[in-house]
Amino acid sequence: MASSSSSFASDSQYRPLWKYDVFLSFRGVDTRRTFTGYLYEGLKNRGIFTFQDDKRLENGDSIPEELLKAIEESQVALVIFSKNYATSRIESEYIHHIVDQISVLCKGSLSYIKNLVGIDTHFKNIRSLLAELQMSGVLIVGIWGMPGVGKTTIARAIFDRLSYQFEAVCFLADIKENKCGMHSLQNILLSELLKEKDNCVNNKEDGRSLLARRLRFKKVLVVLDDIDHIDQLDYLAGNLDWFGNGSRIIATTRDKHLIGKNVVYELPTLHEHDAIKLFERYAFKEQVSDKCFKELTLEVVSHAKCLPLALKVFGCFFHERDITEWRSAIKQINNNPNSEIVEKLKISYDGLETIQQSIFLDIACFLRGRRKDYVMQILESCDFGADIGLSVLIDKSLVSISGNNTIEMHDLIQDMGKYVVKKQKDPGERSRLWLTKDFEEVMINNTGTKAVEAIWVPNFNRPRFSKEAMTIMQRLRILCIHDSNCLNGSIEYLPNSLRWFVWNNYPCESLPENFEPQKLVHLDLSLSSLHHLWMGKKHLPFLQKLDLRDSRSLMQTPDFTWMPNLKYLDLSYCRNLSEVHHSLGYSRELIELNLYNCGRLKRFPCVNVESLDYMDLEFCSSLEKFPIIFGTMKPELKIKTGLSGIKDLPSSVTYQTHIINKFGFRRYKDEPELESLLQMRENNDEPTEHCIGTKRSRYDNSEPRDEASCSSSKKQREVGSKMKQSKMQHNCKLGPWYFENNAGNSAYVAEQLECWPVIDECVEGKKAVPKRVNDISNSKSSHITKQEEQRGTISRNQIGADTRRTFTGHLYEGLKSRGIFTFLDDKRLEDGDSISEQLLKAIEESQVALIVFSRNYATSRWCLNELVKIMECKEEENGQTVIPIFYDVDPSHVRYQSESFAEAFAKHESRYKDDVEGMQKVQGWRTALTATANLKGYDIRDGIESEKIQQIVDHISSKFCKSARFLSYLQDVVGINAHLEELKSLLQIEINNVRTVGIWGIGGVGKTTIAKAIFDTLSDQFKAACFLADVKENARKNQLYSLQNTLLSELLKKKDDYVNNKYDGKCMIQSRLCSMKVLIVLDDIDERDHLEYLAGGVGWFGNGSRVIVTTRNRQLIENNDAIYEVQTLPDHEAMQLFNQHAFKKEVPDECFKKLSLEVVNQANGLPLALKVWGSLLHKKGVDRWKKIVDQIKKHSNSEIFEKLKISYDGLEPKEQKIFLDIACFFRGNERKEVMQIVESYDSGAEDILEVLIDKYLVFISKYDVVEMHDLIEDMGKYIVKMQKEPSRIWNAEDFEDVMMDNMETRAIEVIWLWTSTKLSFSKEAMKNMQSLRILCIQTHLCDSKEDSIEYLSNNLCWFDWHKYPWKLLPENFNPRRLVHLDLRWSSLHDLWTETKQFLSLRRDRSKLLLLPEENTRFQGDAKFGVFVSTGINPWKDEAEPP
C-alpha cells in the first residue's frame, strides 16, 4: 500500500493519551433539545470525539465516578451557562464559531507530526504552494516523487494540520489499489464530505455529475492518495468548478504526467542528517546508539541513498541485532537488494506498458550514467519510441536527467530493475546480461535462450565464442562487448536480429558470412583485427553508423550499395586501408566521413555530398586525387585535407566557389578582405582573443564591454558586413563560418552572419564562446472564471422572527453542509433586487420546497403569498416536491386554521373585509394551508431538534441524490442531439406498451455515453429508473443475483439484499415490477443470460416501461423491438471531440491544426481513440506533439487496443482464428474471395463471418468487400505481435528473421507476403511449420540455388505462389488437405515426378487450380474425379503481371 512507503513513524506511536477531545457540561433541561444538541452534532461532524454527560454514559455506571474519569480524560471542557445565553446572537453562527475554535485546539494537538523527520520543510513548501488558504479560488497541488519517498505520509500530515480550516475534508487513501470501481470511491468521497453514509451512485458518470452538483459551494480539502491513471483525477476531482471557493485538492502520484499543468511539489529524498535520524529511529528506537555502530550506520544510509522506505525497512531489520550480525547483513545488502523494498518499488514498473518496461530495464541494466543522446540512439534503433518512453519514465520518477545531460536513476530503482531481470536464476533465461561471469557461463554451458534480448559486458576473456549458445538467441537486439583479447579462432554465428552491435577489439578477421542483420542500425568494431567485414554485398537498409576506426589490419571497405541510410562512416587510423569502395558514391544520406590518417589510402573514387557536413582526409598521404563529387555541395560543408597527398581539386568544387587548402579553411573566391582575415588566422597572426560580434543585444543587460580588450572586433564586424554584401551580390546563402586552430582540436561556429551571437566574455588565450539570443514571445495565459449557478435546489418558506435564529438557521446549515444549494428568502437576496420578483423566480426554479410552520406563521402575508405560489408550482406537470415541517404548532391547527392561525386569519379578514379581491386572496391562503398540511411532512414538537433536522436533511439528500438528473453535461457531448432524437423515435415514449431497444456498435464508439444521455433525459418520465453500468464486468466479478439486487433496490427505492440466486431474482423482478412504469438501461451485455435474468420479457414491467440495452453483439438483441446502430463520428465532430480533450476549453494554436488532423485521421472517427489520444496530448508542447503523433502512427496505443480487445476475447477459438486472418491479410478483399480462402480450412466460415459482423468486428461494404475499422485491424495485428510465438507473418522483415535465425516456428499458421524483397528459405525453419495452413507469396526474388525448395508443410490448405522460382515442388510434399493451388507464371518444369493424391483439391466455382506451363502434364486424384491437362492452359489469355 502507498502508506507503507512512509518515511516517518506511525501516527499512533506519538498520539496523545486523551480519550475524549471535548467534555460537554450543561444543564439538559435548558439546552439539550436546542443549543447543546446542535453543538454536539457540529462537533461530531468535524470528527471531534465529544463526551456528553447526560447521554454517553452506559446504563449501570456510577455517574459521579464516570464523570470524574471523563473530565480527567478530556482535552477540552466546554461549560454551557444557559440563562439568556442564546439570545445574544444567532445560534447557528455562534455554534459554527465555537466548533472552529475547538477544531483548531484538537487538530493542533497532533504531536505525532513533530516526530516526522524533515516535515517542517515540506510543510512550509507545500503550504506556500497552496497559496494562502484564505484566498478564494480552487487549487490542485500534486505531490510527486519516486516510490518509497514518503508522499503519503507527508500528504497525511498536511491533511491533519490543515483540515480544521475547511468545511469538510476527505483523505482517499491508496486509490490505485481500489478494486471496487470508480463509483465506490465517489461514494466514499460524497459520504465523507457530505456527512452521509449512503451509496448515492452505482456508476462513475452519475458520480461525476453528483460531485459537481453537491460540492460546488463547499470549501473542502481532499487528498487523492497514490493515483496512477488519469481517470482517477477526472472522475474524483475533474474540474475546479466542482468545489467551492477556497477548496484545495492534493494528489500524490509517481506519475508527473497525471498532474498536468497543476502545481507540482517534487518530493526529494532526505538530506543525509535526516536520513541518519530516520534510520536510527527504527534501528535503535528510543535507545542511544553505540559509537561502534556509527560507521556501519553511515554505510547503510549510503546504500539506501536516503530513500525513506529503504531506511525504514533496513532500520527495522537491524533493530536489536549485535555488531557481528550488522556486518554480515550489510555485506548481504550490498550484494543483493532487499526483496521487500524491491517489491514495493516494482509497483511502478508493473504499471508500465511493455515497451516502456523494455526501455526501463535497458537503462537499469547498462545505460544508466550515459549521455541522453547516446541512449536515445540505442533505444530508437530498437524501435522503442524512445522520446515518449523516456518521458513516461521521467514522469513516473523512475529515471531523471542530470545537469550533464546523462540518464540517471536512484540506486535502489536500478537494483529493482536488475532484480526483475535476475528473477530467472539461469543467466541464459534472462532477458539481459551485463555481468561478464554470467555471459561467460552462457558461452561455456551453451545455455542461451530466446529470452536474451541484450548483452552488454565490459570484456570477454574466454577462448571460445559458442555458436550453439548464440544460435538460440533469436531475439538478441543489442550486443556490446568492449574487449575480448583472449578469444581464439573465428566467430561462426551472430544473430541476425541485432540492431546495435558494438565490439571493441573485435578479434576476428571478418564477420560470419551467414550474418545478415537487416535491422542493424549501428555497427561499431573499432580497434578490431578485421581484414574485411565480409565479401560481397549485404542488405542493411537501416544501418546509419559504421565505425571501423583504428582497425589497423583493414585493407578494404565493404560494398555500400545496399546501405541506403548510412549517415556516419569512420575509417580513421585504418592505416592499411588502400581503397574505399566506389559504391560510397550512392550514399546520399552520408553526413560525416572520417578517413583521418589512412596513410596507405590510394583509391577513393567518389563521394556523394548531398547531405555531407564533414569530411576529413588529413594525413591521407598516399591519396593524390580528390574524389569525384556527386550531388550539390552544401555551403556549410567542412573538408579537411591537411598533410594529404591531394594536389588538384575537381572542377565541381571550384565551380561552387569552395576552395579547400591544406589546413581545411574555406575561402570565398574574389573576396580579398575575407581572404585576408582567413590568411591572418592561418598564419597565426590573429589576436589571441577572438571577440566576434560584440554588438550587444537589446535583451542583454550586462555592462558594455571594453572595446580595447577586443582588438579584432572592429575588423571582424567589417568582414561580417562585407560578407553580407557578398551574400547579396552572389545571390547565395552563406552558411556557418568556421575558424579552427592549427592542431585541429576544436572549432567555433558562428551562425548566419545576419544574426550574430552575443559573446558573453573574452578570456585571454581562449576562444570566445557564442551565446544565442533566444526569441522572446509573449506567452498566452488564460483563466476560467467560475460562474455559480443561480438555480435553487431547495427553497424554504418560514417566518423569520420565529425560527430564523434557531431551528431554520440550523436547518439551513445542515442542508448547506450536504452540498444542497438552498435559497433562504431573507438571506440570499442581493442588495437592490426586487424581493417579490426574486422570490417568485426562486420558487419556480427550486426542486424541493420546505415549509416551516411556526406558531406565528399565518401572521405573515409574505409567507402566505409564497405558500400559494409554491402550491401552484407543485400542481404543474414537472411540479416540485413540497415538504411541510411543523415546528411548534400542531398540524391540525394549520390544516383547519385554528388556535394561533385562527387569530391571524381573523386579523386578515378584518383587514380585507371591504375588499373582494382581498377576501379571495385570504381564501386562497386557507386553501393552500389546508392542502399543505395534508401532505406528508415532519412534526418536530417532540424530540431533539438536532436529530429531527438530521432526519430532514437525510431525506432531502436521499431524494436529491436519487432523483435529480443533471443534464448540463450533455451540452459538452459531441453530436449527442442527433443520437437522442433518433433514439426517442425508436423508443416511442408516447405509446403505452413495454418496448426494448438495443444500442449496437463497435467497441469505443460511445454506446454507453449515448445510453446514459437518453437515460438522464427521460428518467423523470418514469415512476422509477435504473442504469446498470458495465453489466458484463460486474457479472464476471459477482453473481448475476447481485445485479438483480441492485436493480430491485434502485427501482423499489429501498436498498436490500432481496435474493441470493438468479432464479429467485428472476421471479421477484417479475412479481415486484410488473405494475411499475420503469426505465432500465443494461449497459454492455455480452451473454444471453444478462438479458434473460435482468429483463427477460415484456410482461415483467408495467405499461409504458422502456428497456435499453447496449452491446457489441447484435445477436443478443435481434429480438428487440428496435436496434440503433451507432456509427463512428463524421470528420467535423471527430475534430471537435479531439479538441475537447486535447485543448479542454482553450483555443488551439495554428501550429497544432495539422497535427490534430493527422491524429483525427488515424482515429478514423472512433471516440475512444480521440479521447485517449486527446488526453495524452493535452498540455504538451508542439515538439512533444510531433513525436507522440509519430508514435501513434507507428504503434497506436495499447490502452485503446486493450479496450477493443474485449470483443476479441469474447469470441470462440475458431472465430478468433478467422478474425485474425482477416485483420492480418484479408481486409479489403471481396467477400466471395475471402470465403473461398477461409472455407479451405473451416467449413463454417459463413456463420463465423456473421458472428464477426454481429460483434461489429468486421462489416461488408456496399461493394461486397470485407472491411473493418483501422483500429480494429491494428488491434488484431497487436494481438499477433504480443504472442510469444507469432502465429501469422505478413511482413518480409519478420519472415527474414524467422528464416535466418531458424526461430521456433511451430505456431505459424499463415504466411502471406507481397514484397519486392529477396527471400531466403531455411529447411529447418520450414520443417518446423507443422501448423502452416496458408502460404501466399507474391515475389520472384528468392534464393533459388537448388532445383526445389527443400520443404513445405503437408498441412497446407491454400497454396498461392505467383512466379514460383524453382523447377520442382519438394518430393516429400504431400498436402492431402490442399484445396487451392495457384502457381501461375512459375519456373516449374514439373510439379513432381510421381502421382500425388489430393483428396480435397477443388476445381468448382472459380479458378482453384492454375497450371504453371502450357506443356506441363499434370495428373492427380481430385475430390470431383480426375483432372488431366495435356498442354492446354485454360487461363492462357491472362496477361502475366509485370
Side-chain angles (χ1 to χ4, degrees), residues 575 660 712 833 845 1190 1218:
R575 294 175 181 173
I660 298 144
S712 66
D833 287 342
E845 294 180 344
D1190 287 342
I1218 292 177

Side-chain angles (χ1 to χ4, degrees), residues 74 145 150 158 198 253 661 698 707 722 840-841 887 912 920 962 975 1133 1250 1275 1292 1314 1355 1381 1391:
S74 298
I158 295 293
D198 188 15
T253 183
N661 77 338
R698 63 191 176 99
E707 291 290 333
K722 186 66 177 177
L840 291 174
K841 187 175 181 181
Y887 176 63
Y912 295 113
Q920 290 176 348
K962 299 296 183 184
E1133 290 184 352
E1250 288 301 319
M1275 179 266 287
W1314 291 67
N1355 286 314
L1381 177 62
L1391 279 175

Side-chain angles (χ1 to χ4, degrees), residues 245-365:
N245 282 339
S247 294
R248 295 294 181 265
I249 314 300
I250 299 173
T252 73
T253 183
R254 306 179 184 195
D255 188 349
K256 186 178 182 181
H257 166 71
L258 301 180
I259 305 298
K261 287 191 176 180
N262 294 313
V263 179
V264 177
Y265 178 62
E266 182 177 357
L267 193 61
T269 53
L270 295 173
H271 295 297
E272 186 176 4
H273 66 279
D274 284 336
I276 293 171
K277 185 177 179 182
L278 179 62
F279 173 74
E280 289 181 341
R281 173 167 296 167
Y282 285 92
F284 304 106
K285 303 298 182 184
E286 303 297 330
Q287 303 170 8
V288 178
S289 61
D290 197 307
K291 290 183 179 180
C292 64
F293 288 101
K294 286 198 172 180
E295 185 176 341
L296 296 173
T297 294
L298 289 175
E299 195 171 342
V300 175
V301 170
S302 175
H303 183 80
K305 287 292 185 289
C306 301
L307 184 69
L309 169 64
L311 293 165
K312 179 179 177 181
V313 171
F314 288 152
C316 293
F317 176 78
F318 284 109
H319 181 54
E320 295 185 342
R321 295 181 185 271
D322 61 35
I323 195 166
T324 303
E325 291 175 303
W326 270 59
R327 288 175 177 148
S328 174
I330 289 172
K331 185 177 180 181
Q332 185 69 17
I333 287 172
N334 289 331
N335 291 332
N336 298 296
N338 182 282
S339 60
E340 180 182 353
I341 297 170
V342 167
E343 287 298 334
K344 290 178 180 178
L345 297 178
K346 187 172 170 284
I347 295 170
S348 291
Y349 169 83
D350 293 336
L352 297 173
E353 294 184 3
T354 304
I355 290 178
Q356 295 161 2
Q357 288 180 339
S358 295
I359 293 173
F360 170 75
L361 294 180
D362 282 355
I363 294 172
C365 293

Side-chain angles (χ1 to χ4, degrees), residues 310 336 372 427 601 642 809 848 903 925 935 1015 1049 1073 1099 1119 1144 1147 1216 1274-1275 1328 1351 1372:
N336 298 296
K372 178 184 175 181
L601 179 64
V848 177
E903 296 174 5
W925 293 343
L935 298 174
F1015 177 80
S1049 296
L1073 304 179
N1119 297 326
K1144 305 300 180 186
V1147 177
Q1216 290 180 340
D1274 291 344
M1275 179 266 287
N1328 285 329
Y1351 184 84
N1372 56 5

Side-chain angles (χ1 to χ4, degrees), residues 1180-1420:
K1180 301 288 193 303
V1182 69
D1183 290 336
R1184 286 292 303 279
W1185 265 64
K1186 290 176 181 176
K1187 292 173 181 176
I1188 292 173
V1189 170
D1190 287 342
Q1191 189 70 10
I1192 286 172
K1193 289 178 181 178
K1194 286 183 181 179
H1195 303 293
S1196 292
N1197 184 282
S1198 59
E1199 180 181 353
I1200 296 171
F1201 289 156
E1202 288 299 330
K1203 290 181 179 179
L1204 295 177
K1205 187 172 170 285
I1206 295 170
S1207 294
Y1208 170 84
D1209 293 336
L1211 297 174
E1212 296 295 328
K1214 284 186 176 182
E1215 297 163 355
Q1216 290 180 340
K1217 177 191 290 189
I1218 292 177
F1219 166 76
L1220 292 180
D1221 285 351
I1222 294 173
C1224 295
F1225 315 112
F1226 304 149
R1227 180 192 174 188
N1229 291 348
E1230 291 184 4
R1231 176 174 180 159
K1232 182 179 179 181
E1233 180 183 352
V1234 173
M1235 286 297 95
Q1236 289 172 3
I1237 299 172
V1238 175
E1239 285 176 350
S1240 72
Y1241 58 85
D1242 195 313
S1243 57
E1246 284 287 352
D1247 293 337
I1248 292 175
L1249 184 64
E1250 288 301 319
V1251 170
L1252 299 182
I1253 292 171
D1254 287 341
K1255 295 203 171 187
Y1256 224 111
L1257 290 169
V1258 304
F1259 62 91
I1260 306 301
S1261 76
K1262 63 180 180 180
Y1263 302 109
D1264 205 35
V1265 169
V1266 178
E1267 283 292 353
M1268 59 175 47
H1269 192 281
D1270 290 348
L1271 289 173
I1272 294 292
E1273 178 186 12
D1274 291 344
M1275 179 266 287
K1277 292 181 176 178
Y1278 168 82
I1279 291 170
V1280 175
K1281 288 180 178 179
M1282 289 296 104
Q1283 295 170 344
K1284 290 184 178 179
E1285 296 182 2
S1287 59
R1288 290 154 180 83
I1289 295 177
W1290 61 90
N1291 184 290
E1293 292 178 9
D1294 295 336
F1295 180 78
E1296 286 296 311
D1297 289 344
V1298 169
M1299 292 297 113
M1300 293 299 176
D1301 295 328
N1302 293 325
M1303 293 173 61
E1304 285 291 333
T1305 56
R1306 294 184 183 278
I1308 295 177
E1309 299 177 28
V1310 184
I1311 298 174
W1312 192 286
L1313 298 174
W1314 291 67
T1315 179
S1316 59
T1317 304
K1318 183 179 179 180
L1319 301 179
S1320 298
F1321 289 82
S1322 161
K1323 179 180 179 180
E1324 290 77 11
M1326 295 298 294
K1327 196 169 185 178
N1328 285 329
M1329 295 184 190
Q1330 299 297 321
S1331 302
L1332 189 67
R1333 50 187 168 80
I1334 297 177
L1335 178 60
C1336 180
I1337 297 177
Q1338 302 292 330
T1339 184
H1340 65 283
L1341 297 175
C1342 295
D1343 188 356
S1344 53
K1345 297 176 183 178
E1346 304 294 333
D1347 288 339
S1348 170
I1349 187 172
E1350 296 183 78
Y1351 184 84
L1352 287 171
S1353 169
N1354 287 324
N1355 286 314
L1356 280 176
C1357 300
W1358 193 273
F1359 184 14
D1360 195 334
W1361 195 330
H1362 295 180
K1363 297 188 177 182
Y1364 178 79
W1366 289 282
K1367 297 177 181 179
L1368 293 169
L1369 290 173
E1371 283 300 317
N1372 56 5
F1373 182 45
N1374 290 294
R1376 294 177 177 272
R1377 299 179 182 175
L1378 191 66
V1379 172
H1380 173 99
L1381 177 62
D1382 182 350
L1383 302 176
R1384 69 182 87 177
W1385 305 302
S1386 73
S1387 300
L1388 282 167
H1389 290 187
D1390 296 287
L1391 279 175
W1392 39 71
T1393 58
E1394 59 183 24
T1395 301
K1396 301 280 185 179
Q1397 283 193 343
F1398 298 96
L1399 301 179
S1400 301
L1401 192 64
R1402 299 198 300 251
R1403 49 183 285 266
D1404 63 320
R1405 291 196 290 177
S1406 66
K1407 297 173 285 188
L1408 298 178
L1409 175 61
L1410 296 180
L1411 302 184
E1413 296 281 344
E1414 290 190 1
N1415 296 322
T1416 297
R1417 298 180 63 83
F1418 173 80
Q1419 180 172 314

Side-chain angles (χ1 to χ4, degrees), residues 7 29 154 166 194 258 263 302 327 441 456 562 611 646 653 655 686 692 766 912 994 1054 1133 1142-1143 1153 1180 1364:
S7 55
V29 175
I154 290 169
F166 297 85
L194 301 178
L258 301 180
V263 179
S302 175
R327 288 175 177 148
E441 180 183 330
W456 192 294
W562 287 353
S611 302
I646 297 174
V653 176
Y655 175 76
E686 88 278 28
I692 299 174
K766 295 184 179 179
Y912 295 113
V994 179
K1054 182 179 180 182
E1133 290 184 352
F1143 304 104
K1153 286 192 175 179
K1180 301 288 193 303
Y1364 178 79

